[in-house]
Amino acid sequence: MSKSWLYKEPEIRKRIESIRGQQQKSLNGALKLQKQKILKSEEVLIKNLKGRVKVLEEENLLLKKQIQKLYGELYSKKG
């Protein structure tokens, strides 16, 4: 049996196309699910990174205030 013979037969061709369609739908569904999982994990990562940035910004602000205070104390001791 050759491919050309299979595709010339209407019933066999219909069956082949039907199976291909099912496989494509299954593949598309799997790809959509995988994409959703990737997007969800990216969202979680972004949320965690934003939280980390906020903590670091607060720590940075605190350190800047401490530096200003220490500069003030140093200046008052010199003067």
Side-chain angles (χ1 to χ4, degrees):
M1 265 190 264
S2 67
K3 280 188 191 178
S4 62
W5 181 83
L6 290 172
Y7 282 96
K8 284 180 185 176
E9 295 296 315
E11 288 184 29
I12 296 173
R13 182 182 183 120
K14 247 186 184 179
R15 181 74 176 134
I16 290 171
E17 289 172 353
S18 171
I19 291 171
R20 274 200 185 140
Q22 290 171 358
Q23 288 175 339
Q24 190 62 36
K25 285 179 187 177
S26 177
L27 180 61
N28 287 343
L31 290 174
K32 284 181 184 178
L33 183 60
Q34 183 179 10
K35 188 174 182 179
Q36 288 173 346
K37 286 180 181 180
I38 290 170
L39 289 175
K40 182 66 176 172
S41 72
E42 287 175 350
E43 288 173 7
V44 169
L45 180 61
I46 290 169
K47 183 179 177 182
N48 289 338
L49 290 173
K50 283 183 178 181
R52 180 72 177 137
V53 167
K54 184 176 179 180
V55 168
L56 291 173
E57 286 174 342
E58 290 171 356
E59 183 180 344
N60 191 22
L61 184 61
L62 178 64
L63 291 171
K64 284 181 180 182
K65 288 180 181 179
Q66 288 177 351
I67 288 172
Q68 285 178 344
K69 181 180 175 187
L70 291 173
Y71 271 135
E73 290 175 8
L74 182 64
Y75 181 75
S76 65
K77 288 184 180 179
K78 285 187 177 183

